């Protein structure tokens, strides 16, 4: 899973305690003793925090952990295409905003048409695609020959996350393609 909710957003310490609200049930007590859970009290505030760092005391919600994960993305490289027809690659480097769009009209062995532009980073738009929680691999139930395949490589400061598929897509694939087209100003699908 690409989003680690229980890593402290402030100091990076791992295995933060989960904050539990409301009247604790009997089986919660040993978890409190082991430091896995802290009790948040009986009243449920609307903007409740979900995790508590045992090292620095910082508290955060699941939504804040998601925001933080997307803010750490430094580049997105996406590929789509079939055996026949056009295929595309977009490489977006967020710190500089540089975008490279490549288009192959037939075989990938040929020289692609190259287009460079810049896009001011607006990674927040990608949160609604749930990109970081896509499965690693999407495949159809039945074999398809000569279909379309795709791949997405997401880099952060400390890791590379790869997703791919052929003839099967994440639910938000069309939305993702639309955003990549906005980033590059060129076709991507
Ligand atoms: Zn901390």
């Amino acid at each position: 899973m690409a989003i680690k909710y229980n890593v402290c957003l402030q100091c990076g310490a791992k295995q933060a305690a989960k904050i539990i609200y409301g009247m604790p049930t009997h089986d919660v007590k040993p978890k409190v003793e082991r430091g896995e859970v802290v009790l948040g009290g009986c009243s449920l505030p609307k903007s409740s925090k979900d995790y508590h760092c045992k090292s620095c005391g910082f508290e955060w919600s699941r939504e804040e952990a998601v925001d933080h994960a997307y803010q750490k993305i430094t580049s997105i490289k996406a590929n789509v295409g079939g055996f026949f027809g056009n295929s595309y690659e977009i490489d977006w480097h967020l710190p500089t905003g540089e975008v490279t769009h490549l288009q192959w009209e037939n075989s990938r062995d040929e020289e692609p048409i190259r287009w460079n532009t810049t896009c001011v980073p607006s990674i927040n738009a990608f949160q609604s695609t749930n990109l970081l929680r896509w499965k690693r691999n999407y495949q159809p139930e039945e074999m398809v020959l000569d279909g379309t395949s795709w791949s997405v490589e997401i880099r952060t400061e400390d890791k590379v996350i790869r997703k791919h598929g052929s003839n099967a897509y994440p639910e938000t694939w069309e939305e993702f393609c639309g955003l990549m087209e906005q980033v590059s100003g060129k076709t991507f699908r």
Side-chain angles (χ1 to χ4, degrees):
M1 186 165 70
I3 301 174
K4 293 200 173 73
Y5 295 100
N6 66 349
V7 173
C8 180
L9 304 191
Q10 187 160 273
C11 76
K14 290 172 184 168
Q15 292 177 326
K18 200 157 174 20
I19 304 173
I20 287 190
Y21 294 91
M23 190 68 82
T25 53
H26 189 69
D27 58 319
V28 165
K29 206 179 162 207
K31 290 181 182 167
V32 173
E33 282 162 4
R34 289 197 298 269
E36 293 165 17
V37 159
V38 296
L39 300 176
C42 287
S43 62
L44 188 63
K46 274 215 164 97
S47 63
S48 55
K49 303 294 183 186
D50 299 306
Y51 296 95
H52 172 91
C53 177
K54 288 172 268 181
S55 299
C56 74
F58 188 70
E59 296 189 341
W60 63 96
S61 65
R62 281 178 72 83
E63 291 75 19
E64 285 167 322
V66 172
D67 275 349
H68 185 79
Y70 281 84
Q71 292 309 325
K72 278 177 75 181
I73 295 176
T74 56
S75 76
I76 298 178
K77 185 163 149 181
N79 267 279
V80 67
F83 191 73
F84 299 106
N86 287 340
S87 66
Y88 306 96
E89 178 178 301
I90 296 175
D91 196 351
W92 182 25
H93 186 241
L94 280 101
T96 61
E98 284 171 57
V99 183
T100 306
H101 180 279
L102 302 177
Q103 174 179 341
W104 290 264
E105 293 192 321
N106 286 302
S107 155
R108 285 230 174 186
D109 297 333
E110 291 167 16
E111 225 11 63
I113 302 164
R114 183 179 290 269
W115 158 263
N116 291 300
T117 185
T118 53
C119 175
V120 177
S122 57
I123 192 65
N124 289 339
F126 283 82
Q127 281 195 30
S128 63
T129 67
N130 234 342
L131 176 62
L132 289 175
R133 304 206 66 196
W134 286 359
K135 290 189 293 179
R136 201 181 290 257
N137 185 3
Y138 290 78
Q139 298 295 334
E141 305 213 333
E142 285 172 35
M143 268 278 282
V144 182
L145 292 173
D146 303 333
T148 302
S149 53
W150 61 272
S151 67
V152 177
E153 184 184 285
I154 305 147
R155 284 178 187 268
T156 70
E157 287 140 28
D158 48 20
K159 64 183 174 223
V160 184
I161 302 154
R162 292 190 179 87
K163 322 268 187 187
H164 69 276
S166 48
N167 305 304
Y169 306 87
E171 264 175 51
T172 54
W173 175 252
E174 285 296 319
E175 187 186 343
F176 174 79
C177 292
L179 287 168
M180 289 310 280
E181 289 185 337
Q182 278 178 32
V183 163
S184 65
K186 292 277 182 184
T187 306
F188 184 80
R189 59 181 100 193

Short mmCIF file of all heavy atoms in Angstrom, two decimals, residues 38-94:
data_model
loop_
_atom_site.label_atom_id
_atom_site.label_comp_id
_atom_site.label_asym_id
_atom_site.label_seq_id
_atom_site.Cartn_x
_atom_site.Cartn_y
_atom_site.Cartn_z
N VAL A 38 -4.51 4.87 21.58
CA VAL A 38 -4.72 5.83 22.65
C VAL A 38 -6.20 6.21 22.64
O VAL A 38 -6.85 6.19 21.59
CB VAL A 38 -3.83 7.09 22.55
CG1 VAL A 38 -2.35 6.75 22.71
CG2 VAL A 38 -4.06 7.84 21.26
N LEU A 39 -6.72 6.55 23.79
CA LEU A 39 -8.14 6.88 23.88
C LEU A 39 -8.35 8.37 23.65
O LEU A 39 -7.68 9.20 24.25
CB LEU A 39 -8.68 6.45 25.25
CG LEU A 39 -8.55 4.95 25.53
CD1 LEU A 39 -9.03 4.63 26.94
CD2 LEU A 39 -9.33 4.13 24.50
N GLY A 40 -9.27 8.68 22.75
CA GLY A 40 -9.52 10.07 22.36
C GLY A 40 -10.64 10.72 23.14
O GLY A 40 -10.96 11.88 22.90
N GLY A 41 -11.25 9.99 24.04
CA GLY A 41 -12.34 10.57 24.83
C GLY A 41 -13.69 10.19 24.27
O GLY A 41 -13.79 9.62 23.18
N CYS A 42 -14.72 10.51 25.04
CA CYS A 42 -16.05 10.03 24.69
C CYS A 42 -16.80 10.92 23.73
O CYS A 42 -17.68 10.47 23.01
CB CYS A 42 -16.88 9.82 25.95
SG CYS A 42 -16.32 8.36 26.84
N SER A 43 -16.46 12.23 23.72
CA SER A 43 -17.17 13.10 22.77
C SER A 43 -16.44 13.01 21.44
O SER A 43 -15.22 12.92 21.38
CB SER A 43 -17.17 14.54 23.28
OG SER A 43 -15.85 15.00 23.37
N LEU A 44 -17.20 13.00 20.38
CA LEU A 44 -16.60 12.81 19.06
C LEU A 44 -16.51 14.15 18.33
O LEU A 44 -17.49 14.62 17.76
CB LEU A 44 -17.47 11.83 18.26
CG LEU A 44 -16.91 11.34 16.93
CD1 LEU A 44 -15.64 10.56 17.11
CD2 LEU A 44 -17.96 10.49 16.23
N PRO A 45 -15.33 14.77 18.33
CA PRO A 45 -15.22 16.05 17.62
C PRO A 45 -15.27 15.80 16.10
O PRO A 45 -14.83 14.76 15.63
CB PRO A 45 -13.86 16.59 18.05
CG PRO A 45 -13.09 15.43 18.53
CD PRO A 45 -14.05 14.34 18.91
N LYS A 46 -15.76 16.77 15.36
CA LYS A 46 -15.95 16.59 13.92
C LYS A 46 -14.63 16.39 13.19
O LYS A 46 -14.53 15.58 12.30
CB LYS A 46 -16.70 17.79 13.34
CG LYS A 46 -18.22 17.62 13.44
CD LYS A 46 -18.91 18.23 12.23
CE LYS A 46 -20.34 17.75 12.10
NZ LYS A 46 -21.31 18.69 12.68
N SER A 47 -13.58 17.16 13.58
CA SER A 47 -12.30 17.03 12.89
C SER A 47 -11.37 16.18 13.75
O SER A 47 -10.31 16.62 14.14
CB SER A 47 -11.69 18.40 12.65
OG SER A 47 -11.42 19.01 13.89
N SER A 48 -11.79 14.96 14.02
CA SER A 48 -11.00 14.14 14.93
C SER A 48 -9.73 13.63 14.25
O SER A 48 -9.73 13.28 13.08
CB SER A 48 -11.84 12.97 15.44
OG SER A 48 -12.34 12.26 14.34
N LYS A 49 -8.67 13.57 15.02
CA LYS A 49 -7.40 13.02 14.55
C LYS A 49 -7.46 11.50 14.72
O LYS A 49 -8.12 10.99 15.62
CB LYS A 49 -6.25 13.60 15.38
CG LYS A 49 -6.17 15.12 15.36
CD LYS A 49 -5.83 15.66 13.98
CE LYS A 49 -5.67 17.17 13.99
NZ LYS A 49 -5.48 17.71 12.64
N ASP A 50 -6.78 10.78 13.84
CA ASP A 50 -6.85 9.32 13.87
C ASP A 50 -5.59 8.66 14.41
O ASP A 50 -5.62 7.49 14.79
CB ASP A 50 -7.11 8.79 12.46
CG ASP A 50 -8.42 9.30 11.90
OD1 ASP A 50 -9.45 9.13 12.58
OD2 ASP A 50 -8.42 9.90 10.81
N TYR A 51 -4.46 9.38 14.38
CA TYR A 51 -3.18 8.77 14.80
C TYR A 51 -2.44 9.70 15.75
O TYR A 51 -2.54 10.91 15.66
CB TYR A 51 -2.31 8.46 13.58
CG TYR A 51 -2.94 7.42 12.70
CD1 TYR A 51 -3.72 7.80 11.60
CD2 TYR A 51 -2.80 6.07 12.98
CE1 TYR A 51 -4.34 6.85 10.81
CE2 TYR A 51 -3.42 5.12 12.20
CZ TYR A 51 -4.19 5.51 11.11
OH TYR A 51 -4.81 4.56 10.35
N HIS A 52 -1.70 9.08 16.67
CA HIS A 52 -0.93 9.81 17.67
C HIS A 52 0.50 9.29 17.66
O HIS A 52 0.73 8.09 17.83
CB HIS A 52 -1.57 9.59 19.06
CG HIS A 52 -0.75 10.14 20.18
ND1 HIS A 52 -0.91 11.42 20.65
CD2 HIS A 52 0.25 9.60 20.90
CE1 HIS A 52 -0.05 11.64 21.63
NE2 HIS A 52 0.67 10.55 21.81
N CYS A 53 1.48 10.19 17.45
CA CYS A 53 2.89 9.78 17.43
C CYS A 53 3.41 9.64 18.85
O CYS A 53 3.31 10.58 19.64
CB CYS A 53 3.73 10.79 16.65
SG CYS A 53 5.48 10.39 16.66
N LYS A 54 4.00 8.47 19.12
CA LYS A 54 4.52 8.24 20.46
C LYS A 54 5.86 8.93 20.66
O LYS A 54 6.31 9.09 21.79
CB LYS A 54 4.66 6.72 20.70
CG LYS A 54 3.29 6.06 20.87
CD LYS A 54 3.40 4.55 20.93
CE LYS A 54 3.26 3.96 19.52
NZ LYS A 54 3.34 2.49 19.50
N SER A 55 6.52 9.34 19.57
CA SER A 55 7.82 10.00 19.70
C SER A 55 7.68 11.50 19.94
O SER A 55 8.31 12.04 20.82
CB SER A 55 8.67 9.78 18.45
OG SER A 55 8.90 8.41 18.26
N CYS A 56 6.86 12.16 19.11
CA CYS A 56 6.82 13.63 19.21
C CYS A 56 5.45 14.16 19.64
O CYS A 56 5.31 15.36 19.84
CB CYS A 56 7.25 14.27 17.88
SG CYS A 56 6.01 14.16 16.58
N GLY A 57 4.46 13.30 19.75
CA GLY A 57 3.15 13.75 20.22
C GLY A 57 2.25 14.34 19.15
O GLY A 57 1.10 14.70 19.41
N PHE A 58 2.74 14.43 17.91
CA PHE A 58 1.93 14.99 16.82
C PHE A 58 0.73 14.08 16.54
O PHE A 58 0.82 12.87 16.64
CB PHE A 58 2.80 15.13 15.57
CG PHE A 58 2.14 15.85 14.44
CD1 PHE A 58 1.91 17.22 14.51
CD2 PHE A 58 1.75 15.17 13.29
CE1 PHE A 58 1.31 17.90 13.46
CE2 PHE A 58 1.13 15.85 12.24
CZ PHE A 58 0.92 17.21 12.33
N GLU A 59 -0.41 14.70 16.18
CA GLU A 59 -1.61 13.92 15.84
C GLU A 59 -2.13 14.33 14.47
O GLU A 59 -2.05 15.50 14.10
CB GLU A 59 -2.69 14.13 16.92
CG GLU A 59 -2.23 13.59 18.27
CD GLU A 59 -3.33 13.58 19.32
OE1 GLU A 59 -4.33 14.30 19.16
OE2 GLU A 59 -3.16 12.83 20.31
N TRP A 60 -2.66 13.37 13.75
CA TRP A 60 -3.16 13.67 12.40
C TRP A 60 -4.32 12.75 12.04
O TRP A 60 -4.54 11.72 12.67
CB TRP A 60 -2.04 13.54 11.37
CG TRP A 60 -1.45 12.17 11.23
CD1 TRP A 60 -1.79 11.23 10.32
CD2 TRP A 60 -0.42 11.58 12.03
NE1 TRP A 60 -1.03 10.09 10.49
CE2 TRP A 60 -0.18 10.28 11.55
CE3 TRP A 60 0.33 12.04 13.12
CZ2 TRP A 60 0.76 9.43 12.11
CZ3 TRP A 60 1.27 11.18 13.68
CH2 TRP A 60 1.48 9.90 13.18
N SER A 61 -5.03 13.15 10.98
CA SER A 61 -6.18 12.37 10.51
C SER A 61 -5.78 11.55 9.28
O SER A 61 -4.73 11.79 8.68
CB SER A 61 -7.31 13.33 10.13
OG SER A 61 -6.91 14.10 9.02
N ARG A 62 -6.65 10.63 8.89
CA ARG A 62 -6.39 9.84 7.67
C ARG A 62 -6.31 10.75 6.45
O ARG A 62 -5.47 10.55 5.58
CB ARG A 62 -7.52 8.82 7.47
CG ARG A 62 -7.37 7.59 8.36
CD ARG A 62 -8.52 6.63 8.16
NE ARG A 62 -8.46 5.92 6.87
CZ ARG A 62 -7.73 4.83 6.67
NH1 ARG A 62 -7.00 4.33 7.63
NH2 ARG A 62 -7.72 4.24 5.49
N GLU A 63 -7.18 11.78 6.40
CA GLU A 63 -7.18 12.70 5.26
C GLU A 63 -5.84 13.43 5.16
O GLU A 63 -5.29 13.63 4.07
CB GLU A 63 -8.30 13.75 5.38
CG GLU A 63 -9.70 13.20 5.20
CD GLU A 63 -10.20 12.41 6.42
OE1 GLU A 63 -9.64 12.58 7.53
OE2 GLU A 63 -11.14 11.61 6.26
N GLU A 64 -5.30 13.84 6.31
CA GLU A 64 -4.01 14.53 6.30
C GLU A 64 -2.89 13.60 5.84
O GLU A 64 -1.95 14.04 5.18
CB GLU A 64 -3.70 15.11 7.69
CG GLU A 64 -4.54 16.33 8.00
CD GLU A 64 -4.51 16.74 9.47
OE1 GLU A 64 -4.51 15.86 10.35
OE2 GLU A 64 -4.50 17.95 9.72
N ALA A 65 -3.00 12.31 6.19
CA ALA A 65 -1.99 11.34 5.74
C ALA A 65 -2.05 11.19 4.22
O ALA A 65 -1.01 11.07 3.56
CB ALA A 65 -2.21 10.00 6.43
N VAL A 66 -3.27 11.22 3.65
CA VAL A 66 -3.43 11.12 2.19
C VAL A 66 -2.83 12.34 1.52
O VAL A 66 -2.02 12.23 0.58
CB VAL A 66 -4.93 10.96 1.81
CG1 VAL A 66 -5.10 11.05 0.29
CG2 VAL A 66 -5.48 9.65 2.34
N ASP A 67 -3.17 13.54 2.02
CA ASP A 67 -2.60 14.79 1.48
C ASP A 67 -1.08 14.72 1.47
O ASP A 67 -0.44 15.04 0.47
CB ASP A 67 -2.96 15.99 2.39
CG ASP A 67 -4.32 16.56 2.05
OD1 ASP A 67 -4.87 16.18 1.00
OD2 ASP A 67 -4.81 17.38 2.84
N HIS A 68 -0.54 14.30 2.59
CA HIS A 68 0.91 14.24 2.76
C HIS A 68 1.54 13.29 1.74
O HIS A 68 2.56 13.61 1.14
CB HIS A 68 1.21 13.77 4.19
CG HIS A 68 2.65 13.78 4.55
ND1 HIS A 68 3.32 14.94 4.89
CD2 HIS A 68 3.57 12.79 4.61
CE1 HIS A 68 4.58 14.64 5.15
NE2 HIS A 68 4.77 13.35 4.99
N ALA A 69 0.91 12.14 1.52
CA ALA A 69 1.43 11.16 0.56
C ALA A 69 1.48 11.75 -0.85
O ALA A 69 2.45 11.56 -1.58
CB ALA A 69 0.59 9.89 0.59
N TYR A 70 0.42 12.49 -1.25
CA TYR A 70 0.42 13.09 -2.58
C TYR A 70 1.43 14.22 -2.70
O TYR A 70 2.04 14.41 -3.76
CB TYR A 70 -0.99 13.57 -2.97
CG TYR A 70 -1.85 12.41 -3.44
CD1 TYR A 70 -2.54 11.62 -2.52
CD2 TYR A 70 -1.94 12.07 -4.78
CE1 TYR A 70 -3.29 10.53 -2.92
CE2 TYR A 70 -2.69 10.99 -5.20
CZ TYR A 70 -3.36 10.22 -4.27
OH TYR A 70 -4.09 9.14 -4.67
N GLN A 71 1.63 14.96 -1.60
CA GLN A 71 2.61 16.06 -1.63
C GLN A 71 4.03 15.54 -1.82
O GLN A 71 4.91 16.26 -2.28
CB GLN A 71 2.55 16.90 -0.35
CG GLN A 71 1.27 17.70 -0.17
CD GLN A 71 0.90 18.54 -1.38
OE1 GLN A 71 1.75 19.07 -2.07
NE2 GLN A 71 -0.40 18.65 -1.66
N LYS A 72 4.26 14.28 -1.48
CA LYS A 72 5.61 13.72 -1.59
C LYS A 72 5.95 13.23 -2.99
O LYS A 72 7.09 12.87 -3.28
CB LYS A 72 5.78 12.56 -0.59
CG LYS A 72 6.10 13.06 0.81
CD LYS A 72 6.18 11.92 1.80
CE LYS A 72 7.47 11.12 1.66
NZ LYS A 72 7.50 9.99 2.62
N ILE A 73 4.96 13.22 -3.89
CA ILE A 73 5.22 12.75 -5.26
C ILE A 73 6.13 13.76 -5.99
O ILE A 73 5.86 14.95 -5.98
CB ILE A 73 3.91 12.56 -6.04
CG1 ILE A 73 3.08 11.45 -5.40
CG2 ILE A 73 4.19 12.25 -7.52
CD1 ILE A 73 1.71 11.25 -6.03
N THR A 74 7.21 13.24 -6.58
CA THR A 74 8.12 14.13 -7.32
C THR A 74 8.02 13.95 -8.83
O THR A 74 8.39 14.84 -9.58
CB THR A 74 9.59 13.90 -6.90
OG1 THR A 74 9.90 12.52 -7.08
CG2 THR A 74 9.81 14.28 -5.44
N SER A 75 7.52 12.78 -9.28
CA SER A 75 7.29 12.66 -10.72
C SER A 75 6.28 11.56 -11.03
O SER A 75 6.10 10.63 -10.24
CB SER A 75 8.59 12.39 -11.49
OG SER A 75 8.99 11.06 -11.32
N ILE A 76 5.60 11.74 -12.17
CA ILE A 76 4.67 10.73 -12.66
C ILE A 76 5.02 10.47 -14.12
O ILE A 76 5.12 11.40 -14.92
CB ILE A 76 3.20 11.21 -12.58
CG1 ILE A 76 2.79 11.47 -11.13
CG2 ILE A 76 2.26 10.19 -13.22
CD1 ILE A 76 1.37 11.98 -10.98
N LYS A 77 5.25 9.19 -14.43
CA LYS A 77 5.53 8.81 -15.82
C LYS A 77 4.46 7.79 -16.21
O LYS A 77 4.32 6.76 -15.55
CB LYS A 77 6.92 8.20 -15.89
CG LYS A 77 7.37 7.87 -17.27
CD LYS A 77 8.88 7.68 -17.20
CE LYS A 77 9.41 6.70 -18.18
NZ LYS A 77 10.87 6.57 -18.00
N ALA A 78 3.70 8.11 -17.26
CA ALA A 78 2.60 7.24 -17.65
C ALA A 78 2.73 6.85 -19.12
O ALA A 78 3.14 7.66 -19.96
CB ALA A 78 1.27 7.96 -17.42
N ASN A 79 2.41 5.60 -19.41
CA ASN A 79 2.46 5.05 -20.76
C ASN A 79 1.14 4.40 -21.12
O ASN A 79 0.54 3.73 -20.28
CB ASN A 79 3.52 3.95 -20.83
CG ASN A 79 4.86 4.50 -21.26
OD1 ASN A 79 5.11 4.70 -22.44
ND2 ASN A 79 5.70 4.78 -20.26
N VAL A 80 0.71 4.57 -22.36
CA VAL A 80 -0.47 3.84 -22.81
C VAL A 80 -0.34 3.58 -24.31
O VAL A 80 0.23 4.40 -25.04
CB VAL A 80 -1.79 4.60 -22.48
CG1 VAL A 80 -1.91 5.90 -23.29
CG2 VAL A 80 -3.01 3.71 -22.68
N GLY A 81 -0.82 2.43 -24.74
CA GLY A 81 -0.79 2.18 -26.17
C GLY A 81 -1.05 0.73 -26.48
O GLY A 81 -0.99 -0.13 -25.60
N GLY A 82 -1.34 0.48 -27.76
CA GLY A 82 -1.59 -0.88 -28.19
C GLY A 82 -0.49 -1.35 -29.11
O GLY A 82 0.47 -0.63 -29.39
N PHE A 83 -0.66 -2.55 -29.57
CA PHE A 83 0.31 -3.11 -30.50
C PHE A 83 0.22 -2.37 -31.84
O PHE A 83 1.21 -2.14 -32.50
CB PHE A 83 0.04 -4.60 -30.68
CG PHE A 83 1.14 -5.31 -31.41
CD1 PHE A 83 2.36 -5.55 -30.79
CD2 PHE A 83 0.94 -5.72 -32.72
CE1 PHE A 83 3.38 -6.19 -31.48
CE2 PHE A 83 1.95 -6.37 -33.41
CZ PHE A 83 3.17 -6.60 -32.79
N PHE A 84 -1.00 -2.00 -32.20
CA PHE A 84 -1.22 -1.20 -33.40
C PHE A 84 -1.64 0.21 -33.01
O PHE A 84 -2.21 0.40 -31.94
CB PHE A 84 -2.34 -1.81 -34.26
CG PHE A 84 -2.02 -3.20 -34.72
CD1 PHE A 84 -2.65 -4.29 -34.14
CD2 PHE A 84 -1.07 -3.41 -35.71
CE1 PHE A 84 -2.36 -5.57 -34.56
CE2 PHE A 84 -0.77 -4.70 -36.13
CZ PHE A 84 -1.42 -5.78 -35.56
N GLY A 85 -1.37 1.16 -33.89
CA GLY A 85 -1.87 2.52 -33.65
C GLY A 85 -0.97 3.32 -32.73
O GLY A 85 0.16 2.93 -32.44
N ASN A 86 -1.49 4.45 -32.30
CA ASN A 86 -0.70 5.39 -31.51
C ASN A 86 -0.42 4.88 -30.11
O ASN A 86 -1.26 4.21 -29.51
CB ASN A 86 -1.43 6.72 -31.39
CG ASN A 86 -1.42 7.50 -32.69
OD1 ASN A 86 -0.59 7.24 -33.57
ND2 ASN A 86 -2.32 8.44 -32.82
N SER A 87 0.73 5.25 -29.59
CA SER A 87 0.96 5.05 -28.17
C SER A 87 1.66 6.29 -27.63
O SER A 87 2.26 7.07 -28.39
CB SER A 87 1.74 3.77 -27.91
OG SER A 87 3.03 3.87 -28.43
N TYR A 88 1.51 6.49 -26.34
CA TYR A 88 1.94 7.75 -25.73
C TYR A 88 2.71 7.52 -24.44
O TYR A 88 2.45 6.55 -23.72
CB TYR A 88 0.71 8.62 -25.39
CG TYR A 88 -0.21 8.85 -26.55
CD1 TYR A 88 -1.34 8.04 -26.73
CD2 TYR A 88 0.06 9.85 -27.48
CE1 TYR A 88 -2.19 8.22 -27.81
CE2 TYR A 88 -0.78 10.04 -28.57
CZ TYR A 88 -1.90 9.23 -28.72
OH TYR A 88 -2.73 9.43 -29.80
N GLU A 89 3.60 8.46 -24.16
CA GLU A 89 4.25 8.49 -22.86
C GLU A 89 4.28 9.94 -22.38
O GLU A 89 4.62 10.85 -23.15
CB GLU A 89 5.68 7.96 -22.95
CG GLU A 89 6.42 8.03 -21.62
CD GLU A 89 7.82 7.44 -21.70
OE1 GLU A 89 7.96 6.25 -22.04
OE2 GLU A 89 8.79 8.18 -21.44
N ILE A 90 3.91 10.16 -21.13
CA ILE A 90 4.02 11.49 -20.52
C ILE A 90 4.89 11.35 -19.28
O ILE A 90 4.67 10.47 -18.46
CB ILE A 90 2.63 12.06 -20.14
CG1 ILE A 90 1.78 12.27 -21.39
CG2 ILE A 90 2.80 13.39 -19.38
CD1 ILE A 90 0.36 12.72 -21.10
N ASP A 91 5.88 12.21 -19.19
CA ASP A 91 6.77 12.21 -18.02
C ASP A 91 6.69 13.61 -17.41
O ASP A 91 7.05 14.60 -18.05
CB ASP A 91 8.19 11.89 -18.49
CG ASP A 91 9.09 11.49 -17.34
OD1 ASP A 91 8.66 11.61 -16.17
OD2 ASP A 91 10.22 11.06 -17.60
N TRP A 92 6.18 13.68 -16.19
CA TRP A 92 5.97 14.97 -15.54
C TRP A 92 6.85 15.04 -14.30
O TRP A 92 6.71 14.20 -13.40
CB TRP A 92 4.49 15.09 -15.16
CG TRP A 92 4.10 16.39 -14.52
CD1 TRP A 92 4.72 17.60 -14.65
CD2 TRP A 92 2.98 16.60 -13.64
NE1 TRP A 92 4.06 18.56 -13.92
CE2 TRP A 92 2.99 17.97 -13.30
CE3 TRP A 92 1.99 15.77 -13.14
CZ2 TRP A 92 2.04 18.52 -12.45
CZ3 TRP A 92 1.03 16.33 -12.31
CH2 TRP A 92 1.05 17.69 -11.97
N HIS A 93 7.75 16.01 -14.30
CA HIS A 93 8.67 16.19 -13.18
C HIS A 93 8.16 17.36 -12.34
O HIS A 93 8.21 18.52 -12.77
CB HIS A 93 10.07 16.46 -13.75
CG HIS A 93 11.13 16.52 -12.71
ND1 HIS A 93 11.90 17.63 -12.49
CD2 HIS A 93 11.53 15.59 -11.82
CE1 HIS A 93 12.74 17.38 -11.50
NE2 HIS A 93 12.54 16.16 -11.07
N LEU A 94 7.64 17.07 -11.16
CA LEU A 94 6.91 18.10 -10.42
C LEU A 94 7.75 19.26 -9.87
O LEU A 94 7.31 20.39 -9.94
CB LEU A 94 6.08 17.47 -9.29
CG LEU A 94 4.78 16.90 -9.86
CD1 LEU A 94 4.86 15.42 -10.03
CD2 LEU A 94 3.61 17.28 -9.01
#
